[in-house]
Amino acid sequence: MKRVLFFSLAFYLILISAAPLPAEEQNVGGDKTVYVEVKESRIRAEPRHWAKTLKEVHFGDALTETGREKGWVVVKLENGRQGYIHESAVTTKKVLLKGKGAVTGSSADDVVLAGKGFNKEIESNLAEKDPTLHYKDVDKVEKTKISADELKKFRDEGKLNK
Amino acid sequence: MLVTGKKGVRRIVLKTFFALPLLLLPAGCGGFSFQAIGTALLQEVGVLPGKSVFDSAKGLLNATRDLTREEEYYLGRAVSAHILTIYPLYEKPELTAYVNKVGLTVASESGLPETFGGYHFAVLDSDEINAMAAPGGFIFISRGILELMPDEDSLAAVLAHEVMHVAKKHGVAAISQDNMTRTLSALGTFAGSLNCSELIQQATTVFGGAVKDITDTLVTSGYSRTQEREADLGAVDILYRAGYDPYAMEVMLQLVEGQSGKSSGGWFDTHPPASERLKMVRNYLEKKNIPHISAGKDKRRERFLRHVGSVSLAGAARSGRSL
């Protein structure tokens, strides 16, 4: 019996040693980590949608938040410079990309499982089941892209967002 | 068969201790890693803070707001693919680019300026007076409603209304409770799997149910009065913040009201009566003491006519309006 209990305890100790850190990471100095939750976004020089782009970021990228200002997250860049990204583009939940690590969050509240659930695979399956769906037209709709410079020019000409 | 003796007790203890982690694995193929099992065990006994896997599974069944941004995007693509089987695209690249510029300008002043795949605006080749928004930021307006508009501020008003539906996730809320429970249950199982083809089929079927709920709401039944009110009044605020004349919402509703009785389908089927919405918007403008904005309006009207031009003139001729 003692041997059974001893080996059981050893088994659980091995499991415990494999347990990860909690999902929300805290950096030194109280800075938090936020993750980009949209396909692509921009870190800007000022807290405005048409301010100069300092860096382009992508889904899953980790950023160091140093504060918030009226709906904008203040982030620290690698060169020590400060930039702004809108809070709708980021999440405090860790974004786990497909093939990059197992589910390590303590609960569904702490992680975003990228590529799981409704994804490209489900879409392809749906399109195969119902070939009348006009996904090619949806792709056309998504192809229209307006650059940040075009948008700024548009706003300035129309005296908008002042 | 009763278990007796020391050997029997030992067997039970062994089975219990080694089977316990397996009770925490979700059903379906594959499962969480040993790391997750370790964390879950520590949480169950209270050593680590946070929820256990059982609470996580229950959390996954929490309705309405638990879809990720990426899932909303794929839902939006599927709903859009449905809409585009009913209404063809009006493929005029310059007009489409112009509508996108107005749309992105108003979206930047909403509570959700960034969606997973970004906002995209398109014109549908239909005479119906109509505008629709799918989850994730896919927004459609008909040629019919464009023809009704006198200027860019009116276009901004309609697009701001649709952006509000996206920002407030009204599309996702249209998924019935049954379908949402089935959806999230399937996602919870699927998320733990390793690409089992039968789970993909299950998830696809459930996904199709959710897509149908949203499409039916957009095309047939419409949102609730509360949601429409939220979209109308939110649009007024967006217009003001963006620098458009907030009274353009009133102008647009007056034009739509003027068409009721002459037109049917589209907005008339899926929205409350324009007269009701007009009264509400007017009360809001007065109560909040929101001023008119005229700066830049002439320039904006000029470029509207340049881009929307022939579409707008044809519509004005048909309805006997002058621009």
Side-chain angles (χ1 to χ4, degrees), chain A residues 5-66:
Chain A
L5 285 172
F6 172 77
F7 281 113
S8 303
L9 198 59
F11 172 69
Y12 284 119
L13 281 171
I14 292 165
L15 282 183
I16 286 164
S17 67
L21 291 169
E24 191 177 305
E25 293 162 29
Q26 204 82 16
N27 297 319
V28 173
D31 293 342
K32 277 199 291 205
T33 303
V34 293
Y35 301 88
V36 177
E37 203 188 6
V38 297
K39 257 200 219 172
E40 52 192 35
S41 187
R42 290 180 171 85
I43 297 174
R44 301 187 182 275
E46 294 164 55
R48 288 183 303 163
H49 289 286
W50 54 97
K52 183 187 163 193
T53 299
L54 297 178
K55 187 182 178 183
E56 284 191 10
V57 290
H58 300 92
F59 188 43
D61 285 352
L63 306 173
T64 305
E65 174 187 342
T66 60

Short mmCIF file of all heavy atoms in Angstrom, two decimals, chain A residues 5-66:
data_model
loop_
_atom_site.label_atom_id
_atom_site.label_comp_id
_atom_site.label_asym_id
_atom_site.label_seq_id
_atom_site.Cartn_x
_atom_site.Cartn_y
_atom_site.Cartn_z
N LEU A 5 1.01 4.25 -2.80
CA LEU A 5 0.86 5.67 -2.51
C LEU A 5 2.10 6.45 -2.93
O LEU A 5 2.00 7.55 -3.46
CB LEU A 5 0.58 5.88 -1.01
CG LEU A 5 -0.84 5.52 -0.56
CD1 LEU A 5 -0.95 5.56 0.95
CD2 LEU A 5 -1.85 6.46 -1.18
N PHE A 6 3.26 5.86 -2.71
CA PHE A 6 4.51 6.53 -3.07
C PHE A 6 4.57 6.79 -4.57
O PHE A 6 4.87 7.90 -5.02
CB PHE A 6 5.71 5.69 -2.62
CG PHE A 6 7.02 6.23 -3.13
CD1 PHE A 6 7.61 7.34 -2.54
CD2 PHE A 6 7.66 5.64 -4.23
CE1 PHE A 6 8.81 7.86 -3.02
CE2 PHE A 6 8.87 6.16 -4.70
CZ PHE A 6 9.45 7.26 -4.10
N PHE A 7 4.24 5.74 -5.39
CA PHE A 7 4.33 5.90 -6.84
C PHE A 7 3.24 6.84 -7.37
O PHE A 7 3.45 7.58 -8.31
CB PHE A 7 4.27 4.53 -7.55
CG PHE A 7 5.58 3.82 -7.50
CD1 PHE A 7 5.73 2.65 -6.78
CD2 PHE A 7 6.69 4.34 -8.18
CE1 PHE A 7 6.97 2.00 -6.74
CE2 PHE A 7 7.92 3.71 -8.13
CZ PHE A 7 8.06 2.53 -7.40
N SER A 8 2.06 6.81 -6.74
CA SER A 8 0.99 7.73 -7.14
C SER A 8 1.42 9.16 -6.91
O SER A 8 1.20 10.04 -7.74
CB SER A 8 -0.28 7.44 -6.35
OG SER A 8 -0.66 6.10 -6.53
N LEU A 9 2.04 9.39 -5.72
CA LEU A 9 2.49 10.75 -5.39
C LEU A 9 3.56 11.21 -6.38
O LEU A 9 3.55 12.36 -6.84
CB LEU A 9 3.06 10.74 -3.96
CG LEU A 9 3.17 12.11 -3.28
CD1 LEU A 9 1.80 12.77 -3.21
CD2 LEU A 9 3.75 11.95 -1.88
N ALA A 10 4.46 10.28 -6.72
CA ALA A 10 5.52 10.60 -7.68
C ALA A 10 4.92 10.97 -9.03
O ALA A 10 5.37 11.91 -9.69
CB ALA A 10 6.47 9.41 -7.81
N PHE A 11 3.89 10.23 -9.42
CA PHE A 11 3.20 10.50 -10.69
C PHE A 11 2.66 11.93 -10.72
O PHE A 11 2.83 12.68 -11.66
CB PHE A 11 2.08 9.47 -10.87
CG PHE A 11 1.18 9.74 -12.05
CD1 PHE A 11 1.63 9.62 -13.36
CD2 PHE A 11 -0.15 10.12 -11.86
CE1 PHE A 11 0.80 9.85 -14.44
CE2 PHE A 11 -0.99 10.35 -12.94
CZ PHE A 11 -0.52 10.22 -14.22
N TYR A 12 1.99 12.32 -9.62
CA TYR A 12 1.40 13.66 -9.58
C TYR A 12 2.47 14.74 -9.50
O TYR A 12 2.30 15.83 -10.04
CB TYR A 12 0.41 13.79 -8.42
CG TYR A 12 -0.89 13.10 -8.72
CD1 TYR A 12 -1.36 12.05 -7.95
CD2 TYR A 12 -1.64 13.49 -9.83
CE1 TYR A 12 -2.53 11.41 -8.25
CE2 TYR A 12 -2.81 12.84 -10.15
CZ TYR A 12 -3.24 11.80 -9.35
OH TYR A 12 -4.41 11.15 -9.67
N LEU A 13 3.58 14.44 -8.84
CA LEU A 13 4.66 15.42 -8.77
C LEU A 13 5.21 15.69 -10.17
O LEU A 13 5.56 16.81 -10.50
CB LEU A 13 5.77 14.94 -7.83
CG LEU A 13 5.47 15.14 -6.34
CD1 LEU A 13 6.52 14.45 -5.48
CD2 LEU A 13 5.40 16.63 -5.98
N ILE A 14 5.29 14.63 -10.98
CA ILE A 14 5.75 14.80 -12.37
C ILE A 14 4.78 15.69 -13.13
O ILE A 14 5.18 16.61 -13.85
CB ILE A 14 5.91 13.43 -13.08
CG1 ILE A 14 7.08 12.68 -12.46
CG2 ILE A 14 6.13 13.62 -14.59
CD1 ILE A 14 7.11 11.20 -12.82
N LEU A 15 3.47 15.45 -12.93
CA LEU A 15 2.47 16.28 -13.61
C LEU A 15 2.57 17.73 -13.17
O LEU A 15 2.50 18.65 -13.98
CB LEU A 15 1.05 15.77 -13.30
CG LEU A 15 0.57 14.54 -14.04
CD1 LEU A 15 -0.87 14.24 -13.66
CD2 LEU A 15 0.65 14.74 -15.55
N ILE A 16 2.72 17.93 -11.89
CA ILE A 16 2.80 19.28 -11.34
C ILE A 16 4.00 20.01 -11.92
O ILE A 16 3.92 21.19 -12.25
CB ILE A 16 2.88 19.25 -9.79
CG1 ILE A 16 1.51 18.88 -9.21
CG2 ILE A 16 3.34 20.59 -9.23
CD1 ILE A 16 1.56 18.44 -7.77
N SER A 17 5.10 19.32 -12.07
CA SER A 17 6.31 19.97 -12.58
C SER A 17 6.14 20.39 -14.02
O SER A 17 6.83 21.28 -14.50
CB SER A 17 7.51 19.03 -12.44
OG SER A 17 7.34 17.94 -13.32
N ALA A 18 5.19 19.73 -14.73
CA ALA A 18 4.95 20.10 -16.13
C ALA A 18 3.94 21.22 -16.26
O ALA A 18 3.67 21.70 -17.34
CB ALA A 18 4.45 18.87 -16.90
N ALA A 19 3.33 21.60 -15.14
CA ALA A 19 2.29 22.65 -15.20
C ALA A 19 2.92 23.98 -15.58
O ALA A 19 4.00 24.33 -15.11
CB ALA A 19 1.59 22.76 -13.84
N PRO A 20 2.23 24.72 -16.45
CA PRO A 20 2.81 25.97 -16.96
C PRO A 20 2.52 27.15 -16.05
O PRO A 20 1.77 27.04 -15.10
CB PRO A 20 2.07 26.16 -18.28
CG PRO A 20 0.70 25.63 -17.96
CD PRO A 20 0.92 24.47 -17.01
N LEU A 21 3.09 28.30 -16.40
CA LEU A 21 2.77 29.56 -15.73
C LEU A 21 1.36 29.97 -16.12
O LEU A 21 0.89 29.58 -17.18
CB LEU A 21 3.74 30.66 -16.20
CG LEU A 21 5.18 30.50 -15.74
CD1 LEU A 21 6.06 31.48 -16.50
CD2 LEU A 21 5.31 30.72 -14.24
N PRO A 22 0.68 30.75 -15.30
CA PRO A 22 -0.64 31.26 -15.69
C PRO A 22 -0.55 32.03 -17.00
O PRO A 22 0.52 32.55 -17.33
CB PRO A 22 -1.02 32.20 -14.54
CG PRO A 22 -0.20 31.74 -13.39
CD PRO A 22 1.07 31.18 -13.96
N ALA A 23 -1.68 32.09 -17.74
CA ALA A 23 -1.66 32.65 -19.09
C ALA A 23 -1.31 34.13 -19.11
O ALA A 23 -0.65 34.60 -20.02
CB ALA A 23 -2.99 32.42 -19.79
N GLU A 24 -1.81 34.91 -18.17
CA GLU A 24 -1.52 36.35 -18.23
C GLU A 24 -0.12 36.60 -17.71
O GLU A 24 0.24 36.23 -16.61
CB GLU A 24 -2.52 37.15 -17.40
CG GLU A 24 -2.38 38.61 -17.68
CD GLU A 24 -3.40 39.47 -16.95
OE1 GLU A 24 -4.60 39.20 -17.11
OE2 GLU A 24 -2.98 40.37 -16.21
N GLU A 25 0.68 37.21 -18.58
CA GLU A 25 2.07 37.44 -18.21
C GLU A 25 2.27 38.86 -17.73
O GLU A 25 1.76 39.81 -18.31
CB GLU A 25 2.98 37.17 -19.42
CG GLU A 25 2.96 35.70 -19.80
CD GLU A 25 3.46 35.48 -21.22
OE1 GLU A 25 4.28 36.28 -21.69
OE2 GLU A 25 3.03 34.53 -21.85
N GLN A 26 3.04 39.02 -16.74
CA GLN A 26 3.36 40.33 -16.19
C GLN A 26 4.85 40.55 -16.38
O GLN A 26 5.66 39.72 -15.99
CB GLN A 26 3.03 40.35 -14.70
CG GLN A 26 2.76 41.72 -14.13
CD GLN A 26 1.31 42.17 -14.39
OE1 GLN A 26 0.45 41.37 -14.72
NE2 GLN A 26 1.04 43.46 -14.22
N ASN A 27 5.20 41.63 -17.06
CA ASN A 27 6.62 41.91 -17.26
C ASN A 27 7.18 42.65 -16.07
O ASN A 27 6.44 43.11 -15.20
CB ASN A 27 6.79 42.77 -18.51
CG ASN A 27 6.33 42.03 -19.73
OD1 ASN A 27 6.58 40.84 -19.89
ND2 ASN A 27 5.61 42.71 -20.61
N VAL A 28 8.49 42.74 -16.02
CA VAL A 28 9.16 43.47 -14.95
C VAL A 28 8.70 44.93 -15.00
O VAL A 28 8.56 45.52 -16.06
CB VAL A 28 10.69 43.41 -15.15
CG1 VAL A 28 11.42 44.29 -14.16
CG2 VAL A 28 11.16 41.97 -15.01
N GLY A 29 8.46 45.55 -13.87
CA GLY A 29 8.06 46.96 -13.84
C GLY A 29 6.57 47.16 -14.00
O GLY A 29 6.11 48.29 -14.08
N GLY A 30 5.75 46.05 -14.00
CA GLY A 30 4.31 46.21 -14.06
C GLY A 30 3.75 46.35 -15.46
O GLY A 30 2.54 46.49 -15.63
N ASP A 31 4.58 46.38 -16.52
CA ASP A 31 4.07 46.42 -17.89
C ASP A 31 3.36 45.11 -18.18
O ASP A 31 3.76 44.06 -17.71
CB ASP A 31 5.23 46.58 -18.89
CG ASP A 31 5.90 47.93 -18.76
OD1 ASP A 31 5.30 48.85 -18.17
OD2 ASP A 31 7.05 48.06 -19.23
N LYS A 32 2.28 45.23 -18.99
CA LYS A 32 1.54 44.01 -19.31
C LYS A 32 1.83 43.59 -20.74
O LYS A 32 2.28 44.39 -21.56
CB LYS A 32 0.03 44.30 -19.18
CG LYS A 32 -0.48 44.18 -17.76
CD LYS A 32 -1.96 44.00 -17.71
CE LYS A 32 -2.65 45.28 -18.15
NZ LYS A 32 -3.99 45.39 -17.60
N THR A 33 1.50 42.33 -21.04
CA THR A 33 1.61 41.86 -22.42
C THR A 33 0.21 41.81 -23.02
O THR A 33 -0.71 41.30 -22.40
CB THR A 33 2.24 40.46 -22.49
OG1 THR A 33 3.51 40.50 -21.86
CG2 THR A 33 2.40 40.00 -23.93
N VAL A 34 0.04 42.37 -24.19
CA VAL A 34 -1.21 42.24 -24.94
C VAL A 34 -0.88 41.57 -26.27
O VAL A 34 0.28 41.59 -26.70
CB VAL A 34 -1.93 43.59 -25.18
CG1 VAL A 34 -2.43 44.17 -23.87
CG2 VAL A 34 -1.03 44.58 -25.90
N TYR A 35 -1.88 40.97 -26.87
CA TYR A 35 -1.66 40.22 -28.11
C TYR A 35 -2.56 40.77 -29.22
O TYR A 35 -3.71 41.13 -28.98
CB TYR A 35 -1.97 38.74 -27.87
CG TYR A 35 -1.10 38.14 -26.79
CD1 TYR A 35 -1.49 38.21 -25.45
CD2 TYR A 35 0.13 37.55 -27.09
CE1 TYR A 35 -0.68 37.71 -24.45
CE2 TYR A 35 0.94 37.04 -26.09
CZ TYR A 35 0.54 37.13 -24.78
OH TYR A 35 1.34 36.63 -23.78
N VAL A 36 -2.02 40.82 -30.42
CA VAL A 36 -2.80 41.32 -31.55
C VAL A 36 -3.87 40.28 -31.89
O VAL A 36 -3.55 39.11 -32.10
CB VAL A 36 -1.87 41.59 -32.77
CG1 VAL A 36 -2.70 42.03 -33.97
CG2 VAL A 36 -0.83 42.63 -32.41
N GLU A 37 -5.11 40.75 -31.94
CA GLU A 37 -6.24 39.84 -32.11
C GLU A 37 -6.90 39.97 -33.49
O GLU A 37 -7.95 39.38 -33.76
CB GLU A 37 -7.28 40.13 -31.01
CG GLU A 37 -8.19 38.98 -30.72
CD GLU A 37 -9.33 39.35 -29.78
OE1 GLU A 37 -9.50 40.52 -29.43
OE2 GLU A 37 -10.07 38.43 -29.40
N VAL A 38 -6.30 40.80 -34.33
CA VAL A 38 -6.83 40.97 -35.69
C VAL A 38 -5.75 40.54 -36.67
O VAL A 38 -4.58 40.41 -36.31
CB VAL A 38 -7.25 42.45 -35.95
CG1 VAL A 38 -8.38 42.84 -35.02
CG2 VAL A 38 -6.08 43.40 -35.81
N LYS A 39 -6.16 40.33 -37.95
CA LYS A 39 -5.20 39.82 -38.94
C LYS A 39 -3.97 40.72 -39.04
O LYS A 39 -2.84 40.27 -39.04
CB LYS A 39 -5.87 39.79 -40.33
CG LYS A 39 -6.31 38.43 -40.78
CD LYS A 39 -6.48 38.43 -42.28
CE LYS A 39 -7.68 37.63 -42.70
NZ LYS A 39 -8.00 37.76 -44.12
N GLU A 40 -4.22 42.01 -39.19
CA GLU A 40 -3.10 42.96 -39.23
C GLU A 40 -3.54 44.32 -38.69
O GLU A 40 -4.72 44.69 -38.81
CB GLU A 40 -2.54 43.11 -40.64
CG GLU A 40 -3.58 43.43 -41.68
CD GLU A 40 -3.05 43.29 -43.10
OE1 GLU A 40 -2.22 42.41 -43.36
OE2 GLU A 40 -3.49 44.07 -43.95
N SER A 41 -2.60 45.03 -38.10
CA SER A 41 -2.92 46.35 -37.59
C SER A 41 -1.65 47.20 -37.61
O SER A 41 -0.60 46.76 -38.09
CB SER A 41 -3.47 46.25 -36.16
OG SER A 41 -3.93 47.50 -35.71
N ARG A 42 -1.76 48.40 -37.07
CA ARG A 42 -0.61 49.30 -37.09
C ARG A 42 -0.39 49.93 -35.72
O ARG A 42 -1.36 50.28 -35.03
CB ARG A 42 -0.85 50.44 -38.10
CG ARG A 42 -0.84 50.00 -39.53
CD ARG A 42 -1.09 51.19 -40.46
NE ARG A 42 -0.86 50.81 -41.83
CZ ARG A 42 -1.76 50.22 -42.60
NH1 ARG A 42 -2.96 50.01 -42.15
NH2 ARG A 42 -1.45 49.88 -43.85
N ILE A 43 0.88 50.04 -35.37
CA ILE A 43 1.23 50.85 -34.18
C ILE A 43 1.52 52.24 -34.72
O ILE A 43 2.30 52.40 -35.66
CB ILE A 43 2.46 50.26 -33.45
CG1 ILE A 43 2.11 48.86 -32.93
CG2 ILE A 43 2.88 51.18 -32.30
CD1 ILE A 43 3.29 48.13 -32.31
N ARG A 44 0.86 53.22 -34.14
CA ARG A 44 0.95 54.59 -34.67
C ARG A 44 1.72 55.52 -33.72
O ARG A 44 1.85 55.25 -32.54
CB ARG A 44 -0.46 55.13 -34.92
CG ARG A 44 -1.22 54.24 -35.92
CD ARG A 44 -2.53 54.81 -36.33
NE ARG A 44 -3.23 53.91 -37.24
CZ ARG A 44 -3.06 53.84 -38.56
NH1 ARG A 44 -2.18 54.67 -39.13
NH2 ARG A 44 -3.72 53.00 -39.30
N ALA A 45 2.17 56.64 -34.32
CA ALA A 45 2.98 57.58 -33.55
C ALA A 45 2.10 58.37 -32.55
O ALA A 45 2.59 58.86 -31.53
CB ALA A 45 3.68 58.55 -34.49
N GLU A 46 0.81 58.50 -32.90
CA GLU A 46 -0.12 59.23 -32.02
C GLU A 46 -1.41 58.42 -31.90
O GLU A 46 -1.69 57.59 -32.76
CB GLU A 46 -0.45 60.59 -32.64
CG GLU A 46 0.72 61.55 -32.73
CD GLU A 46 0.41 62.68 -33.70
OE1 GLU A 46 -0.64 63.36 -33.51
OE2 GLU A 46 1.18 62.89 -34.64
N PRO A 47 -2.21 58.73 -30.88
CA PRO A 47 -3.47 57.96 -30.71
C PRO A 47 -4.58 58.43 -31.66
O PRO A 47 -5.62 58.90 -31.23
CB PRO A 47 -3.83 58.22 -29.24
CG PRO A 47 -3.20 59.53 -28.91
CD PRO A 47 -1.95 59.61 -29.72
N ARG A 48 -4.32 58.30 -32.96
CA ARG A 48 -5.32 58.64 -33.98
C ARG A 48 -5.17 57.65 -35.12
O ARG A 48 -4.06 57.23 -35.45
CB ARG A 48 -5.09 60.07 -34.51
CG ARG A 48 -5.47 61.17 -33.53
CD ARG A 48 -5.29 62.53 -34.12
NE ARG A 48 -3.93 62.74 -34.58
CZ ARG A 48 -3.57 63.71 -35.42
NH1 ARG A 48 -4.46 64.53 -35.91
NH2 ARG A 48 -2.32 63.86 -35.78
N HIS A 49 -6.30 57.32 -35.76
CA HIS A 49 -6.29 56.28 -36.80
C HIS A 49 -5.50 56.67 -38.04
O HIS A 49 -5.12 55.82 -38.83
CB HIS A 49 -7.73 55.92 -37.19
CG HIS A 49 -8.45 55.16 -36.13
ND1 HIS A 49 -8.18 53.83 -35.87
CD2 HIS A 49 -9.39 55.53 -35.24
CE1 HIS A 49 -8.95 53.43 -34.87
NE2 HIS A 49 -9.68 54.43 -34.47
N TRP A 50 -5.26 57.96 -38.26
CA TRP A 50 -4.54 58.36 -39.46
C TRP A 50 -3.16 58.91 -39.13
O TRP A 50 -2.52 59.53 -39.97
CB TRP A 50 -5.39 59.40 -40.23
CG TRP A 50 -5.80 60.57 -39.41
CD1 TRP A 50 -5.20 61.78 -39.35
CD2 TRP A 50 -6.92 60.63 -38.50
NE1 TRP A 50 -5.86 62.59 -38.46
CE2 TRP A 50 -6.92 61.92 -37.92
CE3 TRP A 50 -7.91 59.74 -38.11
CZ2 TRP A 50 -7.86 62.33 -36.99
CZ3 TRP A 50 -8.86 60.14 -37.19
CH2 TRP A 50 -8.83 61.42 -36.64
N ALA A 51 -2.70 58.66 -37.90
CA ALA A 51 -1.34 59.11 -37.54
C ALA A 51 -0.31 58.23 -38.23
O ALA A 51 -0.62 57.14 -38.72
CB ALA A 51 -1.17 59.04 -36.02
N LYS A 52 0.93 58.67 -38.25
CA LYS A 52 2.01 57.97 -38.93
C LYS A 52 2.17 56.55 -38.36
O LYS A 52 2.12 56.35 -37.15
CB LYS A 52 3.31 58.77 -38.75
CG LYS A 52 4.51 58.21 -39.46
CD LYS A 52 5.77 58.98 -39.08
CE LYS A 52 7.00 58.16 -39.45
NZ LYS A 52 8.21 58.67 -38.88
N THR A 53 2.39 55.59 -39.27
CA THR A 53 2.59 54.20 -38.85
C THR A 53 4.04 54.00 -38.43
O THR A 53 4.97 54.32 -39.17
CB THR A 53 2.29 53.23 -40.03
OG1 THR A 53 0.92 53.40 -40.40
CG2 THR A 53 2.52 51.79 -39.62
N LEU A 54 4.23 53.45 -37.23
CA LEU A 54 5.59 53.15 -36.76
C LEU A 54 5.94 51.70 -37.07
O LEU A 54 7.09 51.38 -37.36
CB LEU A 54 5.69 53.37 -35.24
CG LEU A 54 5.46 54.80 -34.75
CD1 LEU A 54 5.54 54.87 -33.22
CD2 LEU A 54 6.48 55.76 -35.35
N LYS A 55 4.93 50.85 -37.00
CA LYS A 55 5.19 49.42 -37.22
C LYS A 55 3.90 48.71 -37.58
O LYS A 55 2.84 49.01 -37.04
CB LYS A 55 5.78 48.81 -35.93
CG LYS A 55 6.24 47.39 -36.07
CD LYS A 55 6.76 46.84 -34.77
CE LYS A 55 7.16 45.38 -34.97
NZ LYS A 55 7.61 44.75 -33.77
N GLU A 56 4.00 47.75 -38.49
CA GLU A 56 2.84 46.89 -38.80
C GLU A 56 2.94 45.65 -37.92
O GLU A 56 4.03 45.11 -37.72
CB GLU A 56 2.86 46.49 -40.28
CG GLU A 56 2.40 47.64 -41.16
CD GLU A 56 2.14 47.24 -42.60
OE1 GLU A 56 2.14 46.02 -42.90
OE2 GLU A 56 1.99 48.14 -43.42
N VAL A 57 1.79 45.22 -37.40
CA VAL A 57 1.80 44.03 -36.55
C VAL A 57 0.76 43.05 -37.06
O VAL A 57 -0.14 43.42 -37.82
CB VAL A 57 1.52 44.38 -35.07
CG1 VAL A 57 2.70 45.11 -34.46
CG2 VAL A 57 0.24 45.18 -34.92
N HIS A 58 0.90 41.78 -36.65
CA HIS A 58 0.04 40.72 -37.17
C HIS A 58 -0.53 39.86 -36.05
O HIS A 58 -0.07 39.90 -34.91
CB HIS A 58 0.82 39.87 -38.18
CG HIS A 58 1.33 40.66 -39.33
ND1 HIS A 58 2.58 41.24 -39.33
CD2 HIS A 58 0.73 41.05 -40.48
CE1 HIS A 58 2.73 41.93 -40.46
NE2 HIS A 58 1.63 41.83 -41.15
N PHE A 59 -1.54 39.10 -36.42
CA PHE A 59 -2.27 38.23 -35.51
C PHE A 59 -1.33 37.41 -34.65
O PHE A 59 -0.45 36.72 -35.16
CB PHE A 59 -3.18 37.31 -36.35
CG PHE A 59 -4.15 36.48 -35.55
CD1 PHE A 59 -4.86 36.99 -34.48
CD2 PHE A 59 -4.39 35.16 -35.91
CE1 PHE A 59 -5.76 36.23 -33.77
CE2 PHE A 59 -5.30 34.38 -35.21
CZ PHE A 59 -5.98 34.91 -34.14
N GLY A 60 -1.51 37.49 -33.34
CA GLY A 60 -0.69 36.71 -32.43
C GLY A 60 0.54 37.44 -31.90
O GLY A 60 1.15 36.99 -30.93
N ASP A 61 0.92 38.55 -32.51
CA ASP A 61 2.11 39.29 -32.05
C ASP A 61 1.90 39.76 -30.61
O ASP A 61 0.83 40.22 -30.25
CB ASP A 61 2.37 40.52 -32.94
CG ASP A 61 2.97 40.15 -34.28
OD1 ASP A 61 3.31 38.96 -34.48
OD2 ASP A 61 3.09 41.05 -35.14
N ALA A 62 2.95 39.62 -29.81
CA ALA A 62 2.89 40.08 -28.41
C ALA A 62 3.44 41.50 -28.32
O ALA A 62 4.49 41.79 -28.92
CB ALA A 62 3.70 39.14 -27.52
N LEU A 63 2.75 42.35 -27.60
CA LEU A 63 3.19 43.74 -27.45
C LEU A 63 3.28 44.08 -25.96
O LEU A 63 2.51 43.54 -25.16
CB LEU A 63 2.20 44.70 -28.12
CG LEU A 63 1.86 44.43 -29.59
CD1 LEU A 63 0.75 45.36 -30.06
CD2 LEU A 63 3.09 44.62 -30.46
N THR A 64 4.17 44.99 -25.63
CA THR A 64 4.31 45.40 -24.22
C THR A 64 3.50 46.66 -23.98
O THR A 64 3.81 47.72 -24.52
CB THR A 64 5.79 45.67 -23.89
OG1 THR A 64 6.55 44.52 -24.22
CG2 THR A 64 5.96 45.99 -22.40
N GLU A 65 2.43 46.52 -23.19
CA GLU A 65 1.57 47.67 -22.88
C GLU A 65 2.13 48.42 -21.68
O GLU A 65 2.45 47.82 -20.65
CB GLU A 65 0.16 47.16 -22.54
CG GLU A 65 -0.77 48.26 -22.05
CD GLU A 65 -2.12 47.76 -21.56
OE1 GLU A 65 -2.50 46.63 -21.88
OE2 GLU A 65 -2.78 48.53 -20.82
N THR A 66 2.22 49.73 -21.83
CA THR A 66 2.69 50.54 -20.69
C THR A 66 1.57 51.42 -20.14
O THR A 66 1.74 52.05 -19.10
CB THR A 66 3.88 51.44 -21.08
OG1 THR A 66 3.45 52.32 -22.14
CG2 THR A 66 5.06 50.63 -21.56
#
